[in-house]
Amino acid sequence: MGSNGVLALLLVCLHVNISCSFLLSNNDEYQVWLTTGDQTKKLSREAPCPVTSQHHGYSVWVDRNKRRQTIGGFGAALTNSAAYVIYHSPIRNKIITELFGSGINDLGISYLRLPMGSSDLNAVDPYTYDDMPNGQTDFNLNHFSIDKDKAFIIPVLKDILAVNPNLKLMATPWSAPAWMKTTKNLFGGEFINDSRYMQTYAQYFIKFFEAYKVEGITFDSFSVQNEPLLSKNDYPTMIINIDPMKAFIKDHLGPLLRQKNIKSKLLLWDYNWSGSWYPEAALNDGNVAQYVSGVAWHGYYGRHDAPEAFHNKHQHVDMYFTEYSGGGWNKNYADVLTTETRLIFIGQTKSWAKNVLLWNLALDEHYGPKKNVGGCNDCRGVITVPTGKHSYTKNVEYYAMGHMSKFVKPGAVRLEANYFNWDDLQCAAFQNPDGSTVIVVQNPNTSKSASFSLDIDAKHYQYNNLPPQSVVTFVK
Ligand SMILES: *[C@@H]1O[C@H](CO)[C@@H](O)[C@H](O)[C@H]1NC(C)=O
Ligand SMILES: *[C@@H]1O[C@H](CO)[C@@H](O)[C@H](O)[C@H]1NC(C)=O
Ligand SMILES: *[C@@H]1O[C@H](CO)[C@@H](O)[C@H](O)[C@H]1NC(C)=O
């Protein structure tokens, strides 16, 4: 900002009588935002970090010339349960503004994942967009309808898009309609390996995109199937083995998307880090690969750097990180903040993820609501919205995400930053489209503070005593 700009801002600030110290951070200072494992600071604005000649502790260097992937966004899944609790909250507008707004007190969520029909977190009985009585089929999709989504999901989405019109969406089915499955049941089983069913299911995707488009909602991306090798008999799941998946994409879905001019990016896998053989096998067939934009990963199993290894083999395929949940199984704030920052937000962006998405955006005080299904009974939302209350709780997931989502904007480019030992220090750096720089540094150690210099643009900045299990974001 030039000196005229600063002067103008100062005048505006004096005029409306607000504190301007944060607007006037000078060119040689980084803003500092801190969350500590002991919870004394939660995305708290600290004294700025100035240029200095001193060096102490670790050196975090950032190379602005080594530009990596472009960031698409950060967020979570708007499950049926998440949409339900937000829709029914008496402070719905406040919640939506504070999650999706771009103000300094807002979380700045930029990407959402929407289950196509039901997952294991539904406030209403599980459904798809073309459910038929047992024993009947509907190959013409005459009964296709997104009406059930209109009860509260689409209204919430429209409110969100009013707050953030640039929000991007990913769609993911947990199951095809029961009549397209070997078990004739939404819970578990396989997609029927038959071209008539495949052609119908490809039309089902098209109808979904077209019906949402009528509502003014388009999808940046979609995965063909959530966790395609998982079958559970108590919630919507469906297996599509690799050969039927390849046939479905190359002979049915891919050509139909092209013919209908649907631009939503097709993502493979949407499952564990450990299963890279599956997207690998799909991409090794050029007739499949031509329709594929990316591979989506979940963080429950396998090595967290699997996407990076995959990227190194397939540089033209984008990496997406699409699911990780905290929950009642670990309520230790410092431990969860450490894991979600190191493994997921820093770990996945450094492993080439364009997007980093957690599981449920919001749940109630009982990890629900949840109707007539099994699956996860104690997953924690990014926020908890207690039924009927004029308040909500920002969970540890909110702060882990906020260190990036508030500052790293869609279109930002990751900049190369150095690597330390797993238990020493973690860092990731980004350049926003407006030229501003964001550096996130984490101290994962459980007992020892960490001091470090930031070395960037041939300048040194010094930060002392980042407490144990804490994370700090620098912005300039
Ligand atoms: C699926 O069907 C195709 C074509 O009929 C067949 O070649 C293939 O072996 C089947 N795959 C599976 C996993 O059943
Ligand atoms: C995926 O992860 C789950 C644990 O969350 C594990 O039980 C399952 O075997 C894994 N599946 C694959 C295909 O890697
Ligand atoms: C924390 O740092 C100390 C001192 O360097 C080291 O001995 C210890 O292993 C570290 N602990 C963890 C959990 O990283």
Side-chain angles (χ1 to χ4, degrees), residues 190 193-194 198 241 243-244:
E190 285 185 46
N193 181 24
D194 172 276
M198 289 189 185
N241 281 308
D243 288 337

Side-chain angles (χ1 to χ4, degrees), residues 115-193:
M116 290 170 61
S118 301
S119 66
D120 55 334
L121 270 303
N122 318 300
V124 301
D125 286 331
Y127 63 89
T128 72
Y129 302 122
D130 199 335
D131 297 317
M132 295 298 291
N134 217 353
Q136 294 181 33
T137 56
D138 182 23
F139 287 105
N140 293 325
L141 299 177
N142 292 327
H143 296 89
F144 183 95
S145 164
I146 61 163
D147 279 356
K148 286 183 177 164
D149 287 8
K150 291 180 181 167
F152 48 87
I153 294 173
I154 288 174
V156 165
L157 273 174
K158 286 182 174 174
D159 286 355
I160 291 170
L161 288 165
V163 169
N164 180 2
N166 297 320
L167 179 99
K168 288 186 173 161
L169 285 159
M170 167 188 180
T172 300
W174 263 245
S175 176
W179 55 270
M180 298 186 191
K181 299 171 73 178
T182 51
T183 46
K184 310 293 178 204
N185 194 318
L186 264 189
F187 299 173
E190 285 185 46
F191 186 76
I192 293 173
N193 181 24

